[in-house]
Every structure is written in structure tokens, then in C-alpha cells.
Amino acid sequence: MKHQMMKYTRWLQRRSRLIIVPAAMLLFLLSAQAQSSVVLPPIGGGGGGQYVARCPQGQHLAGFELRTGGWVDAIRPLCVTAYGPNEVGPPVPGGIWFGGNGGGPGQLVCPSDTPIVIGMFVWAEGVQIITVNSIHLWCGVAATTQNRSELPNAAFDATKASHESDLLFNTDTLKHIRETQNCPAGLVAVGINGRSGDWLDAVGLMCGVPTLTPRAAPPPEAPGVKAIGRVKAPTTPGTTPAPPRPICNVAREARERNSPAAPGLEAQCLATVNALAARGEAVANQDPYALALRNQQPAGLARRGFDIGMAAAEGQTAPGAGKQSIHDSLSPAEQVGFNAAVSFSLERNRKLEGNKDAALAARGKAIANQDPLAVALRNQQPDEPSRRGFDIGMAAAEGQTAPGSGKQRLLESLEPAQRGGFSIAVSFSLERNRNADFARKGAAIAKVDRIVAAARAAEADVFYQLGFDIATGIFGDPSRGGAGHTSEGSGSKAIRDSLSAAGQRGFNDAVKLHLSQH
């Protein structure tokens, strides 16, 4: 274990100086309402706007839900209730997302034997835009003393959080921020804070006193009756079973039939609604506009209905039978607040969804501007819709090397005029990313070798020049950074065959040039 820790420490030192700042310089106290929590300064860039997300009262941070691709697009905390030092309930999202709508979903969660976050390492990088690429977690238990492991207990590294960044960007301008922070003695993580916009710019921990919660007793059943509702009929082979029905609908119908199962079903419905109310209040507290609207509701049933509506509509963009079922189970006063919350949430979520393409386009344009070939290819697009599609494609394929269903779904969601530019950007990115090291070396050789530069310019096609660069990186002069291969082999032929037709032409022409020089 000690040897592993030394290796991990050397890994950090090779890439950055581990910054350890005295706690007095890092911490500031929140209000008494926030349970005397302390906030560690967020690690990362200075872009975006500030966010704070604390787990509901009595819960602790277990990890994160993430949206990720070539970097971390968005984050929200996962919170758990602790019944014992290492006995916790299932992780529950602790608020709204912070960041953009790009990337794919995933989770970074502490292991079951050490279920609560106590420390974190963050790696952020970029040129003009610095975003978070890696998060590593140290995990512990719900106690004031910890047996902290030497190595992180859980880790996430985005596809570009490695030396690949140095291959795709100018290392003289690429900025790196890597720091580690730990909750003070006696405290564990209870939330996060940081900065976010179209991506996750920075993240830091919030720490508080660990709390153990007694387990709640199950709701009583009606005397002599087991509240199981109707027995489910067996499914006929080859048919699709019906989706589960909302528990409040089942309870209401049981009461209308005077079923002996009605009391138990109603207790389950009430427990579900109570959980929604607690969840909705936490969701509203993460959004100042939602919080202002909540405070406008009359205290009592209307505000409770608002909380239920915030949870029922979380992450949704359209009305549905599930929300209607919950609405119908509430009292008239609760329904007023419920309707206000659902209308607000659906409108806000639709706007967030509509901003998805705009965020991707902004990111893709920033990515393209770091590569002269990408800039040239973008400028070759015939109109603004094509260029917008190109920018979205650059972001969608950032750091990736193969086609995938996510990019295909995104392509199909675009306007027809944007799809051509999107496809061109994705094809270019995949070819470049698969051969990033050789492409970078070949382009560098062309800058200092006039013969190579003249041959490379034989065709203005960007894919031709990319293929030429890749072959130059493989067969070019070793004194100028090339690998110096003197004959074609199965490896180089496989690389050539993976390129587009224009890329293969450029590759072949570069091979002829360099082998003739050898």
C-alpha cells in the first residue's frame, strides 16, 4: 500500500504541484441555518456562475451524478442518509444539475464499506476555457474519526484528462490546475460548491458534522389484512407487461371499491408524496427563481403542494399521466401550489433543453479554433447552418475515436441544414483523434521543411492534408520529430485504410515523398 501511495504521489508531482493550504485560509463559515458547514474553495477555472448544492438536512455526500464526454459537462451531488457509520440508504440526487446538457450520464460513488466523501482531487485544464476533467474521491464513514486510505477510493477521468490533451493542443498555452482538498478533522462532505456555465468550470466540497438517523418504523397495516392490493395476473408469453400504475391511483381505486387493502395502499401513497415534498424542497432551494416562487405560496398546504410539484416535474419537459395522478391525490389547496411548481419546472427545463445545442456549438467552436486544419474545414462550410452543425459535431466527437449511438442520436435531432456540417466535423475529429500523435508531429515537420510543406499543399482538401500529416509523423525525419519508419508495414497500412479517400491520397503521397528521401 505504501508503495502504491508513493506511485500516486509521484504521478501527481509529475503533472502538478500538490497544493496544501492551511485550513484557516481555505474555510469560511456558512450561516447557522446551514448547520455551521464549512466550504472548501472550488478547484478549477473562473468561468461560469457560482453554485452551491448542500444535501438535505441529515444527509451526507456519497458522490456525484455526472454528464461527461471529453470533459465534465455537468454535476449534481448524490446524497445518502446514514443509519450507522457505514450503513447508508441508496444515493439520491441532491438538487438540480450544474453545467451544460452535453455529454453522457454516469455516476462517481463511494464504495459501500466507506460510503461518504471526505476528500477530493480535481484536475481542470484548458486554453481559454478551463473545465474540470478528472475527479478522484477519498471516502470514509459517518463518524468524526476516519481511517483514510492512502489511494483514492473512487475516480473519474474524462477522455481528455491525459497526455492526449498535449497532443491536440499547443502545450505552451494549455493550462493545468490540479489540487487536492480534504474535509477538516471531525467533518465529512455534505455538499458541493463551485462555478458552472456550459460546462463544469470548478468544484469544491462543503463539509459538516456527520449525523446518524434512526430508521423509521414501517406504516401499520389494517388489522387482519395484508395490504397487497390486487394480485398481478401472470404475463402471457410473447406479450409486453403493462407499465406499473401510480400507487396513488391504485390507492384511490381501492378506496372507491371499499377494498380492505385501501389503508395500506393509502399509507404507501402518503409516504411517496411525503418523500416528494422533501425532495422538492431541496430542489427548489438550489434555484433562486424556484425559491422565490415557493416563498410566494401561502405557508402550509399550498407550499407543500409546491414542493411536491417541484419533485414530480424534476428533469421533465412535458405534462404526463404520472404528474396528473399525483395532482389528483392532493387536496385543493395543495393542487394550487403543485400546479405553480409544475408549470415553472416544465418551462425552465424546456429552455435548458433548448440551450443544449447552443452550448455544444460554443464548445465546438472553441475546440476547432485550437487546430488550424479544423479552422480551415469550418471555413469551408457553405453557410451558417452548416457551420453551426460543424461546431456541434466538433464538440460531440471531442476526444473520441469511433462512431457511436450518442453522436447518431444527436445528428438525427439537428435540422437537416446542420447535419452535413456535423457529419464532416465528426469524421474529421475521429480520424485526427485516432492518430493524434502522428498528426501533430507531421504538422510540426511541415512547418519547418519547405519540401514537405509544398507537397502537403498539393491539395487544399483538409482530409488530404490530415492524411499527409499522419504519414509524415510515421515516416518523417527523426531529427525533426518523425518516427522515421523506412518501409510500410501492416500497422501503417491499417492506419491508412482507416482514413477517408482524400486522407488515403494524402497518406500515400507523404509515404512516397519520405521513402524517396530515405
Side-chain angles (χ1 to χ4, degrees):
M1 180 65 74
K2 186 174 294 184
H3 176 67
Q4 289 178 310
M5 184 57 186
M6 292 175 63
K7 287 178 63 178
Y8 188 75
T9 302
R10 287 197 299 269
W11 179 84
L12 289 175
Q13 290 174 341
R14 281 198 302 269
R15 291 160 170 80
S16 67
R17 180 179 61 184
L18 183 63
I19 299 178
I20 303 176
V21 182
M25 297 176 62
L26 288 178
L27 311 179
F28 63 88
L29 293 178
L30 292 178
S31 66
Q33 182 181 5
Q35 304 290 308
S36 298
S37 297
V38 295
V39 177
L40 306 184
I43 304 169
Q50 187 177 17
Y51 66 85
V52 175
R54 194 187 194 280
C55 290
Q57 175 61 35
Q59 294 188 10
H60 311 80
L61 184 68
F64 308 115
E65 273 194 317
L66 303 172
R67 290 195 186 113
T68 64
W71 56 93
V72 179
D73 294 80
I75 191 172
R76 65 174 171 177
L78 288 171
C79 303
V80 292
T81 300
Y83 305 108
N86 60 353
E87 181 188 2
V88 300
V92 177
I96 63 174
W97 286 96
F98 298 100
N101 294 323
Q107 290 190 346
L108 175 62
V109 184
C110 286
S112 59
D113 57 339
T114 51
I116 296 171
V117 177
I118 59 174
M120 179 171 64
F121 163 77
V122 177
W123 175 350
E125 66 181 8
V127 180
Q128 294 178 337
I129 304 171
I130 297 177
T131 55
V132 173
N133 277 341
S134 289
I135 303 175
H136 298 184
L137 299 178
W138 276 269
C139 303
V141 297
T144 55
T145 59
Q146 305 291 339
N147 184 19
R148 187 178 184 274
S149 64
E150 295 182 345
L151 296 177
N153 305 93
F156 167 79
D157 294 299
T159 55
K160 285 184 61 54
S162 69
H163 66 283
E164 291 181 11
S165 296
D166 298 332
L167 302 179
L168 297 179
F169 296 112
N170 184 338
T171 56
D172 294 333
T173 58
L174 186 66
K175 301 179 181 67
H176 300 275
I177 297 174
R178 302 179 182 89
E179 298 181 23
T180 297
Q181 57 182 213
N182 299 300
C183 284
L187 304 183
V188 298
V190 295
I192 56 174
N193 74 107
R195 304 188 67 82
S196 67
D198 293 332
W199 311 282
L200 180 64
D201 297 86
V203 62
L205 295 177
M206 300 175 63
C207 303
V209 177
T211 303
L212 297 183
T213 301
R215 287 190 177 276
E221 296 179 354
V225 178
K226 186 176 182 181
I228 60 174
R230 290 182 172 179
V231 177
K232 184 185 294 185
T235 302
T236 303
T239 64
T240 302
R245 301 177 62 227
I247 185 63
C248 292
N249 278 6
V250 177
R252 184 174 63 254
E253 292 171 3
R255 175 58 63 190
E256 291 171 353
R257 299 192 309 272
N258 291 322
S259 167
L265 294 170
E266 288 170 340
Q268 295 180 46
C269 172
L270 178 61
T272 300
V273 173
N274 286 341
L276 287 173
R279 171 67 186 155
E281 182 178 2
V283 172
N285 284 334
Q286 308 304 322
D287 185 328
Y289 296 104
L291 186 58
L293 185 58
R294 181 181 187 271
N295 292 336
Q296 291 174 11
Q297 309 305 311
L301 293 177
R303 193 166 297 178
R304 171 179 163 83
F306 184 89
D307 294 338
I308 296 168
M310 287 297 296
E314 183 180 11
Q316 300 185 31
T317 58
K323 291 184 285 293
Q324 186 62 44
S325 169
I326 296 170
H327 169 275
D328 295 343
S329 72
L330 302 178
S331 67
E334 289 173 318
Q335 290 177 359
V336 173
F338 182 93
N339 291 338
V342 169
S343 297
F344 166 81
S345 294
L346 298 185
E347 182 178 357
R348 178 195 59 184
N349 294 342
R350 283 193 293 267
K351 289 180 179 178
L352 291 174
E353 187 70 20
N355 290 335
K356 176 181 178 181
D357 289 351
L360 284 173
R363 176 66 180 179
K365 186 175 182 180
I367 294 167
N369 286 337
Q370 309 305 318
D371 185 330
L373 285 181
V375 171
L377 190 58
R378 183 181 190 275
N379 292 337
Q380 290 174 8
Q381 303 311 303
D383 51 36
E384 185 56 34
S386 295
R387 284 188 289 273
R388 182 176 177 83
F390 182 90
D391 293 339
I392 295 171
M394 288 297 296
E398 219 277 329
Q400 301 186 28
T401 59
S405 58
K407 292 184 284 293
Q408 183 62 34
R409 287 194 298 270
L410 182 55
L411 170 66
E412 293 169 356
S413 73
L414 298 179
E415 299 175 5
Q418 297 175 339
R419 295 176 184 175
F422 179 95
S423 298
I424 290 172
V426 169
S427 297
F428 168 80
S429 294
L430 298 185
E431 289 193 15
R432 180 194 61 182
N433 295 346
R434 285 193 296 264
N435 308 284
D437 190 19
F438 291 131
R440 178 182 63 83
K441 292 176 179 177
I445 292 173
K447 288 183 179 180
V448 297
D449 188 320
R450 288 181 295 176
I451 296 176
V452 173
R456 180 180 185 266
E459 290 192 28
D461 191 302
V462 169
F463 286 89
Y464 175 93
Q465 295 182 4
L466 176 61
F468 195 100
D469 288 343
I470 293 168
T472 297
I474 298 171
F475 296 93
D477 187 348
S479 67
R480 291 182 168 173
H485 289 204
T486 58
S487 64
E488 293 187 84
S490 58
S492 64
K493 289 179 180 178
I495 292 175
R496 178 196 60 198
D497 293 344
S498 71
L499 302 177
S500 64
Q504 291 184 28
R505 290 198 309 272
F507 190 98
N508 290 336
D509 288 351
V511 170
K512 293 176 184 177
L513 171 66
H514 293 294
L515 292 187
S516 68
Q517 291 179 332
H518 292 316

